[in-house]
Each structure stands twice: as C-alpha cells, then as structure tokens.
C-alpha cells in the first residue's frame, strides 16, 4: 500500500489502531515530497526537522491518550497564514524575509488538534490571481498534466494535496481561490460562510470577501478539517458566534427532500467548455439519483459580478496593502534618500505587476470624484447579487453549477491577458460577494484527462448541506481514489 495516497481519515484510523506511527507517516510524506516536488513545485518552505519533531510529540501524545482529531497527521498551509516557526511570504518579494510574531488562529487550531505542520505552500502574490503564476518565487505545476496551471491563488495548496505531498491543506478564498484550484487539480475545496472561520493572522487581501477553508482528498476529510477550524474567535471581530455542528455526522444522509437549483446563467453554452458542461450535468444527474429534486433557477445579476468584484476587491486591497510601506514590514529599499522616496522605491520593487495593477484600480475607484461612480455602484450591485441568492434559497437548499468555465489550461496561456483571467472567475466570485458557503467536489474528467469539479453553494451557515450533497455525489461519481501519475 502506498501510505501517502490514503485519505486523512484513513491515516487517522491507522494511527488509532497503532498500525503506523506519526513519525513513519511523516517520513513517508517527506519521501514523497522529495520524489515529486521537483515536478510539482508546491512548497515555498518545507520544515523537515520541525515536522519530524512534531510527529514525535504527536506519537507521545497519542500514547498518553491525549490525541486531538488530526493528531500526527502531516498537513501544510498556504503561505498567507502567519506562522511563528516559518516565514510567511504571501508569495511576495515584499514579505520575502518576514516571520510573523504569532500564529494565525487556524494554525493554532490545527496545532491544538495535533497536526504536524510540514510547510508553507505557494500562492499568487497576496492571493491575487487565478493561476498561481503571479508568485514571486515558485509557479506550481498541475499534477495531472505538468505543463498546465494548477489554478490559483491557492495553487500550491491544491497541487500538494493532489500529488499526495500532504494529507490536506488550508487555503484562502476571496473570489474562488480555494474552489477553482481544487477543481482544476481534482481535489475537494470548501469556502465556508463569511465569519465561519477566523481570519486572524491571515494576510488580508479583501477583508469583506476573504475566507479560510480546507483543501482535501475527499469530502469526509473536508468535514473533519471544518470541525477543527470552524467557530468563533475573539481575535477576529467578523467571526460569528454560531454553534458549529459535527460536520461528519450528517455526511452519509440521503438527499431526499433536498431541492437543488440549477442557475441558467451559469450554464450558458457560450460560456462553458463542452467537457465541463457534460461532466457537470452528469454530476447533477447523480445528485438527482441520490434523491434530490432538481429545478432550474435564475441568478439574473450574474453578468455584473465580475465587474463588481474587480472594483470591490482591489478597493479593499489598496487599503489593506497600504501597510507595506518599507517601515513596518518586509522589504525596504535601502538606497532611498528621503522618506517619500523610500516608500515609493520599496513598493515599486517589493510588489509584482498584478498587485500594482490592483492597487492602482482600487485607489482610483475609492478616490474623490470616482467613489460614487465606481465603488458605491459596485456595492449596490453586490446587494443585488446577495438578493438574487436570498430569493433562490427561499426555494432551494443548494445551487449546483460548474466551478470554472474550462479545465486547466497551459502554463503561460493567459498570463498576459488579465481581463481573460478576471472573466474566468465568473462562477466563483458571487459566493464571496454574498458571503455564502460554497465548495468544489470532483465529478469527472475532460477528454484530455484533466479533472473537472462541480460547485455547490448554500445559504449562510449551511455547510452541512453542502458536505452531505458533495459526499453523495462523490460516492456515485466514482472519481475518488483516481490519482495522477507524476513519476
Ligand atoms: N482570482 C481572483 C482574483 O485574482 C480571486 C482570488 C482569490 O480568491 N484570492 O482576485
């Protein structure tokens, strides 16, 4: 048996039955990383010694009968999560040598649950991108086809899970950055409800849209990690004090009585690659087979979501990224002769092109004279999009659709066309604008053998329904356990 190919829940089972130790498990994953990482390029930092030390501690804790839910399991996180034991670069030269003085709350929760933290995964700079090609350090390769993109911005987090370089990972999703790479790499990814998971210690991109979530090998593992990371955090004033159910409890329930809406705007044939449309429609048929009622619905403001998102997200980013001034964090240009010159040169050299583009758009959209025309209008459109969803969720429990209009494309294919990249986010960004939970679950493959995910969206705090439907689909789609051949 290839031990690194099993799921997180299966690995927990082996540890519980004392069929393996965490040190053995961690060594196996480190060997796997040595073998495939030259092809995948998912890790920005790998902490081999630290991981083995944590594994020894986990083995001792388990012997002493104090094992948390993921005790001894090797995991990794996107490089946007602050960690005291390793640098946090956020994929940017700006933070190249930055090590945080505290852990993000989700990192603390993983540690308290006994996880072994292997390292930090590559990402688009400050989470801005859809291919991970905007990273200042490392562009990952899709495990299913090495000359293709992984998607982004959590490309490293999706690729590492798909390539069995960790049992699961955490990503962040501002407009699709968990779901889109999960879909393109054939793994499960969930963006929880805004406020479900703490954002404390996560480098901010667009604070009203950002949310943390798991990327996993299957749906059960997603539920296990949601149990670990969800819940109120006094350190994040936007985290909600809502009870957290045990998400594994209702996974295997049938879908009888569940209504799933199919938004016609998400299935426009001029939008979708035929392989994506065919595969997702087959997935919807499987949900029906599992007992769900499927009805057609409409989200009439879908066509405005890209425009609204690409004003609101850059506006918030321009404000959030003002803190990178060469004084308090990260990169400083040492040759500048005045304070103003130091700001300008540090930011000019520290940020990459896409980040600068966002700062310029966002600053413009917020400036006096343009605020009403751009930012205020975008906020009004956001309200209309949120209302579209409220109307649907009065009639439906879930919405099913594709995650992305196409499967993964060639590295470099759209790198010089930011507008084409922005448009490819059309199916994922509404969930962030509305604050609702959404996930991607693998449902098939394109004719070229690239994975295709199905997106499920639910009303606020209804992650349990998402997981239940995703689990039922996974049982029927027969794609779990299929692995890319890398070496
Ligand atoms: N692709 C979108 C962007 O570039 C969303 C990224 C994200 O979710 N972090 O802004």
């Amino acid at each position: 048996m290839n031990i690194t190919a099993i799921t997180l829940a299966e690995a927990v089972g082996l540890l519980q039955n004392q069929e393996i130790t965490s040190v053995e498990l961690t060594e196996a994953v480190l060997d796997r990383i040595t073998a495939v990482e030259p092809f995948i390029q998912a890790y920005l930092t790998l902490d081999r010694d630290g991981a083995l030390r944590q594994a020894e501690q986990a083995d001792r804790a388990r012997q002493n009968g104090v094992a948390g839910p993921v005790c001894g399991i090797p995991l990794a996180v996107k490089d946007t999560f602050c960690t005291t034991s390793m640098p946090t670069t956020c994929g940017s030269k700006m933070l190249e040598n930055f090590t945080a003085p505290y852990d993000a709350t989700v990192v603390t929760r993983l540690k308290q649950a006994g996880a072994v933290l292997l390292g930090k995964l590559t990402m688009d700079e400050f989470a801005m991108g859809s291919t991970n090609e905007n990273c200042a350090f490392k562009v990952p390769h899709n495990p299913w086809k090495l000359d293709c993109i992984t998607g982004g911005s959590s490309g490293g987090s999706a690729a590492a899970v798909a390539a069995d370089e960790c049992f699961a990972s955490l990503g962040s999703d501002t407009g699709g950055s968990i779901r889109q790479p999960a879909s393109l790499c054939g793994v499960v990814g969930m963006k929880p409800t805004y406020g479900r998971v703490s954002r404390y210690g996560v480098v901010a991109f667009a604070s009203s849209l950002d949310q943390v979530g798991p990327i996993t090998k299957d749906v059960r593992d997603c539920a296990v990690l949601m149990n670990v990371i969800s819940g109120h955090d006094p350190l994040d004033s936007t985290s909600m004090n809502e009870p957290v159910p045990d998400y594994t409890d209702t996974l295997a329930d049938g879908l009888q009585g569940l209504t799933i809406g199919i938004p016609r705007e998400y299935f426009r044939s001029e939008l979708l690659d035929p392989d994506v449309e065919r595969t997702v429609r087959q997935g919807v048929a499987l949900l029906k087979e599992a007992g769900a009622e499927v009805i057609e619905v409409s989200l009439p403001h879908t066509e405005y979501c890209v425009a609204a998102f690409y004003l609101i997200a850059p506006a918030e980013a321009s404000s959030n990224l003002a803190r990178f001034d060469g004084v308090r964090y990260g990169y400083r240009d040492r040759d500048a002769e005045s304070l103003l010159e130091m700001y300008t040169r540090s930011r000019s050299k520290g940020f990459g092109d896409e980040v600068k583009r966002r700062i310029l758009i966002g600053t413009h959209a917020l400036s006096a004279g343009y605020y009403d025309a751009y930012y205020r209008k975008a906020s009004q459109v956001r309200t209309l999009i949120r209302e579209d969803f409220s109307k649907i969720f009065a009639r439906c429990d879930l919405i099913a659709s594709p995650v992305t209009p196409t499967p993964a494309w060639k590295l470099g294919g759209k790198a010089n066309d930011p507008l084409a990249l922005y448009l490819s986010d059309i199916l994922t960004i509404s969930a962030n604008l509305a604050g609702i939970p959404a996930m991607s679950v693998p449902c098939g493959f394109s004719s070229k053998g690239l994975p295709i995910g199905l997106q499920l969206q639910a009303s606020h705090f209804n992650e349990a329904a998402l997981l239940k439907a995703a689990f039922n689909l996974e049982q029927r789609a027969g794609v779990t356990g299929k692995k890319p051949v890398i070496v």
Side-chain angles (χ1 to χ4, degrees):
M1 179 175 60
N2 179 1
I3 199 75
T4 62
I6 64 175
T7 67
L8 180 157
E10 286 166 347
V12 169
L14 293 183
L15 288 165
Q16 274 167 349
N17 296 337
Q18 295 174 6
E19 288 173 53
I20 194 166
T21 65
S22 172
V23 169
E24 287 164 347
L25 202 58
T26 305
E27 280 170 347
V29 175
L30 290 171
D31 287 348
R32 172 75 181 171
I33 293 173
T34 305
V36 302
E37 184 59 7
F39 305 95
I40 304 295
Q41 303 278 297
Y43 279 89
L44 291 179
T45 305
L46 179 63
D47 183 14
R48 287 179 184 271
D49 296 341
L52 288 168
R53 264 198 314 276
Q54 295 167 68
E56 281 167 19
Q57 275 167 15
D59 283 332
R60 272 199 300 275
R62 195 172 284 283
Q63 273 164 14
N64 297 335
V66 281
V70 292
C71 181
I73 301 291
L75 302 177
V77 298
K78 184 176 183 176
D79 207 18
T80 187
F81 298 101
C82 286
T83 46
T84 52
S85 59
M86 282 176 262
T88 299
T89 71
C90 221
S92 181
K93 184 169 160 43
M94 186 56 97
L95 286 175
E96 190 165 6
N97 298 311
F98 174 68
T99 297
Y102 56 84
D103 282 331
T105 294
V106 285
V107 170
T108 306
R109 291 203 177 176
L110 287 181
K111 285 185 178 170
Q112 283 167 349
V116 170
L117 191 59
L118 290 164
K120 308 290 286 289
L121 298 161
T122 185
M123 58 183 285
D124 282 304
E125 183 176 10
F126 287 104
M128 297 174 191
S130 311
T131 65
N132 213 314
E133 290 165 296
N134 294 337
C135 182
F137 310 112
K138 231 179 220 184
V139 178
H141 296 246
N142 191 307
W144 293 89
K145 230 169 185 287
L146 294 174
D147 60 352
C148 285
I149 58 150
T150 54
S153 65
S154 311
S157 298
V161 174
D164 297 323
E165 295 186 84
C166 57
F167 282 97
S169 65
L170 294 184
S172 65
D173 189 313
T174 304
S177 280
I178 289 175
R179 289 160 286 156
Q180 187 254 25
S183 174
L184 301 185
C185 290
V187 289
V188 172
M190 175 183 276
K191 178 205 100 69
T193 308
Y194 185 78
R196 173 84 297 181
V197 178
S198 169
R199 292 182 297 112
Y200 178 75
V202 185
V203 180
F205 165 9
S207 310
S208 78
L209 303 161
D210 298 343
Q211 188 55 207
V212 176
I215 297 185
T216 57
K217 298 185 188 190
D218 72 1
V219 177
R220 179 178 299 280
D221 287 359
C222 182
V224 170
L225 278 190
M226 279 298 292
N227 284 351
V228 173
I229 63 173
S230 299
H232 180 243
D233 175 12
L235 298 172
D236 172 3
S237 60
T238 62
S239 84
M240 294 283 285
N241 209 344
E242 285 278 319
V244 181
D246 181 337
Y247 290 111
T248 59
D249 273 355
T250 44
L251 277 182
D253 292 355
L255 303 187
Q256 289 76 17
L258 206 80
T259 307
I260 301 184
I262 308 296
R264 73 177 78 92
E265 293 81 1
Y266 283 36
F267 282 85
R268 286 190 353 254
S269 51
E270 66 277 20
L271 179 73
L272 298 184
D273 173 285
D275 281 347
V276 171
E277 171 161 16
R278 177 182 44 81
T279 312
V280 172
R281 287 210 187 270
Q282 282 165 1
V284 171
L286 295 176
L287 290 166
K288 211 167 166 177
E289 228 177 79
E293 186 192 344
V294 175
I295 60 171
E296 191 179 86
V297 294
S298 171
L299 287 164
H301 294 96
T302 301
E303 63 173 306
Y304 305 110
C305 70
V306 173
F309 176 89
Y310 278 98
L311 282 167
I312 292 169
E316 293 186 21
S318 71
S319 166
N320 272 325
L321 271 57
R323 77 191 73 188
F324 301 105
D325 56 5
V327 178
R328 287 165 296 181
Y329 298 90
Y331 182 76
R332 174 186 295 186
D333 184 90
R334 302 253 161 214
D335 301 326
E337 285 175 3
S338 69
L339 181 64
L340 197 61
E341 198 190 339
M342 193 278 288
Y343 289 155
T344 311
R345 291 170 67 137
S346 300
R347 287 169 68 82
S348 299
K349 293 184 185 169
F351 290 136
D353 287 348
E354 184 58 31
V355 173
K356 286 181 195 159
R357 189 170 9 248
R358 306 281 177 114
I359 292 173
L360 289 172
I361 296 172
T363 307
H364 183 70
L366 289 176
S367 57
Y370 292 100
Y371 180 94
D372 287 326
Y374 294 125
Y375 185 75
R376 186 189 301 278
K377 252 288 170 287
S379 302
Q380 287 166 339
V381 171
R382 181 178 192 173
T383 303
L384 293 174
I385 290 169
R386 193 175 296 155
E387 284 169 4
D388 278 0
F389 282 106
S390 311
K391 281 181 201 148
I392 290 197
F393 289 128
R395 290 200 293 143
C396 299
D397 303 285
L398 298 174
I399 295 171
S401 74
V403 183
T404 56
T406 66
W409 55 88
K410 287 259 164 70
L411 280 157
K414 297 186 190 173
N416 297 317
D417 192 350
L419 217 53
L421 287 175
Y422 296 175
L423 288 170
S424 73
D425 291 336
I426 181 158
L427 303 172
T428 48
I429 54 193
S430 315
N432 301 74
L433 290 169
I436 57 173
M439 72 186 286
S440 172
V441 56
C443 72
F445 292 88
S446 74
S447 46
K448 295 198 179 106
L450 285 163
I452 293 173
L454 181 146
Q455 175 170 237
L456 292 162
Q457 304 185 73
S459 56
H460 296 101
F461 295 102
N462 204 2
E463 282 84 358
L466 285 182
L467 288 160
K468 177 170 82 168
F471 185 82
N472 274 270
L473 174 61
E474 182 180 72
Q475 298 296 304
R476 286 161 196 268
V479 291
T480 14
K482 288 221 172 87
K483 295 279 178 182
V485 181
I486 301 162
V487 278

